[in-house]
């Protein structure tokens, strides 16, 4: 967990990684650390990170694509 006073968009623009996605108004998630995708949550280190309704479709898609790339390696 990193606390920052910048906006999520500013932080996302500074990070150069396809593995980091926004899943909530207040959360960015590094897909490399996600252990499981539940209905509305990512599970990281036994903690649940809520995926807001707005981001569920894009978060699911990004995670599935990430898993597909990981399998190909």
């Amino acid at each position: 967990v990193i606390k920052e006073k910048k906006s999520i968009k500013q932080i996302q623009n500074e990070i150069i990684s396809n593995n980091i996605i926004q899943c909530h108004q207040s959360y960015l998630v590094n897909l490399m650390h996600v252990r499981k995708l539940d209905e509305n949550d990512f599970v990281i280190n036994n903690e649940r990170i809520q995926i807001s309704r707005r981001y569920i479709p894009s978060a699911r898609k990004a995670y599935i694509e990430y898993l597909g790339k990981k399998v190909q390696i």
Side-chain angles (χ1 to χ4, degrees), residues 5-50:
K5 294 203 182 252
K6 297 177 187 176
S7 74
I8 290 286
K9 278 293 176 207
Q10 287 174 314
I11 295 168
Q12 207 168 15
N13 289 336
E14 290 175 8
I15 297 172
I16 303 172
S17 175
N18 294 331
N19 296 331
I20 298 184
I21 63 162
Q22 186 169 1
C23 65
H24 189 276
Q25 178 181 344
S26 303
Y27 302 133
L28 293 175
V29 169
N30 186 335
L31 296 175
M32 293 175 66
H33 297 283
V34 173
R35 296 290 166 237
K36 183 178 176 185
L37 170 62
D38 282 341
E39 191 171 325
N40 297 324
D41 302 305
F42 283 124
V43 178
I44 301 173
N45 297 331
N46 296 323
E47 284 191 48
R48 296 190 172 278
I49 306 296
Q50 182 182 8

Side-chain angles (χ1 to χ4, degrees), residues 31-32 34-35 63 65-73:
L31 296 175
M32 293 175 66
V34 173
R35 296 290 166 237
Y63 186 61
E65 288 175 0
Y66 169 76
L67 290 178
K69 289 177 189 173
K70 192 173 171 183
V71 170
Q72 291 176 357
I73 295 176

